[in-house]
Amino acid sequence: FIEASDGSVWTAGATAGGEAGVGDCPVGSPGPNPPDCPYSAYARKILTDINGNTFNNAVSIVAISQDANTGSDRMGWAVLKADGTVWVWGTVGAMLGDGTELLDSIVNKPTQVVLPTGKIVKQITGGDYIQALCTDGTVFTWGPSYYPNLGYGSAGATGYKTPQQLSLTNITQIAGGKGFNYAVNSSGQIYGWGAYGKFLGDGSITATLEVATPMLLTNLRANLPSPISKIVTNWGTTYAILTDGSIW
């Protein structure tokens, strides 16, 4: 996917499961790799959303997926628009956030995720689930997670099918999406949660400990010479750029 400077979104390559977002795959087609979803060798612009309105003003895009080891093959995308709304498409499962699971059914065009009234999102992260940071410093998570990755206790409750607010305030940035997650607040404090607590870098968490709700990572912050400026993760590693310009 390509996010152009004019806020448009372009796609090329495999479109199985509705990932292209241009309406190739009929809604409800079985996935992944249904036979009626063609491969695209050239970039195509996503023209409209699921309601037929022009799709534009995108400011960031993240991949969302869940492999067979954690439930079902799901592939899709989430976009944050300039107005603070979040849109998803593909075989997104519970990442649609409307209370349904949908399993592998296809959402073939961008569809808006409904968050509580008044919430404006400024950052999203993708992976096996979606996390959204709002302009008021609150954090919401949702998706088909079977571990305590969502940050509000044991997974499996119906709550994971709709955006749920975490017990965090004054957050300025978030990271994660593959089993361990971070949130940094305006005071520079670092919180972490997820199934793989040992990846959080705090040193106080045993290899088998699951952190089901946000935990203040005091040891991690104490071991860093400066506050975190930017934090990013992949499936098993965390990198942080500190305010002094160093990378950890």
Side-chain angles (χ1 to χ4, degrees), residues 1 13 23 28 31 40 51 59 73 97 111 116 136 139 143 163 169 177 207 211 233 237-238 245:
F1 274 84
S40 175
N51 298 314
V59 295
D73 291 321
T111 301
D136 62 1
V139 178
T169 58
V211 182
T233 68
T237 307
T238 302

Side-chain angles (χ1 to χ4, degrees), residues 141-152:
T141 65
W142 66 97
S145 180
Y146 299 108
Y147 305 103
N149 297 329
L150 299 175
Y152 47 86

